[in-house]
Amino acid sequence: DYVAPAGYFRDPKKLDVYMKDSVFLPYLNNDKNSTFAATSKKRFAQLNGAMLVMFGSDTMIYPKETAWFWELQADGSVKNVNQTALYTEDHIGLKSLMDAGKVQFITWPGNHLHMTQDE
């Protein structure tokens, strides 16, 4: 019954800075090992479902496909989620959730978070 946006920037050209200075994301993404990361992965994989929403004309998230866990590469290309280590190695439990058929990928028309309460 809860909807929450997750926001961050992981610069593929400065992964060393991300690993050193980001307070929680390397742990949340299981880029660093920790007890929290293992617990987080287990809990994510146990969700009843996840709806990943990409806004079709998003000007806030770049590239917009990262809303679906696609990964920005250092050369500017975007790698499909199923080709990323995050997915193939099941770092956060996303692959487990997808294998169970519990993930929806939705494209919403318009800009970032521009929707009415009725929608």
Side-chain angles (χ1 to χ4, degrees):
D1 293 338
Y2 298 98
V3 175
Y8 70 92
F9 182 68
R10 180 180 177 264
D11 189 340
K13 294 180 182 177
K14 298 179 182 176
L15 290 177
D16 57 329
V17 175
Y18 158 78
M19 292 297 284
K20 179 178 156 268
D21 294 340
S22 185
V23 176
F24 70 95
L25 289 173
Y27 297 99
L28 192 61
N29 289 338
N30 269 348
D31 291 328
K32 290 184 178 180
N33 292 324
S34 71
T35 304
F36 169 79
T39 302
S40 178
K41 175 182 176 177
K42 180 180 176 185
R43 288 180 178 163
F44 190 82
Q46 292 175 337
L47 289 173
N48 292 329
M51 179 185 295
L52 304 180
V53 179
M54 175 177 63
F55 292 87
S57 300
D58 205 323
T59 59
M60 178 66 65
I61 296 178
Y62 175 81
K64 66 183 178 188
E65 293 83 5
T66 59
W68 288 352
F69 288 101
W70 288 33
E71 190 175 275
L72 178 63
Q73 303 300 296
D75 66 2
S77 64
V78 184
K79 187 183 283 188
N80 187 303
V81 64
N82 63 12
Q83 298 171 343
T84 66
L86 178 92
Y87 176 81
T88 60
E89 298 171 16
D90 207 16
H91 286 188
I92 63 169
L94 180 61
K95 183 177 186 318
S96 297
L97 207 60
M98 287 177 65
D99 287 349
K102 296 180 178 180
V103 179
Q104 298 177 58
F105 293 89
I106 305 295
T107 302
W108 198 267
N111 203 351
H112 191 75
L113 296 178
H114 287 204
M115 61 181 75
T116 67
Q117 184 68 29
D118 293 336
E119 293 173 323

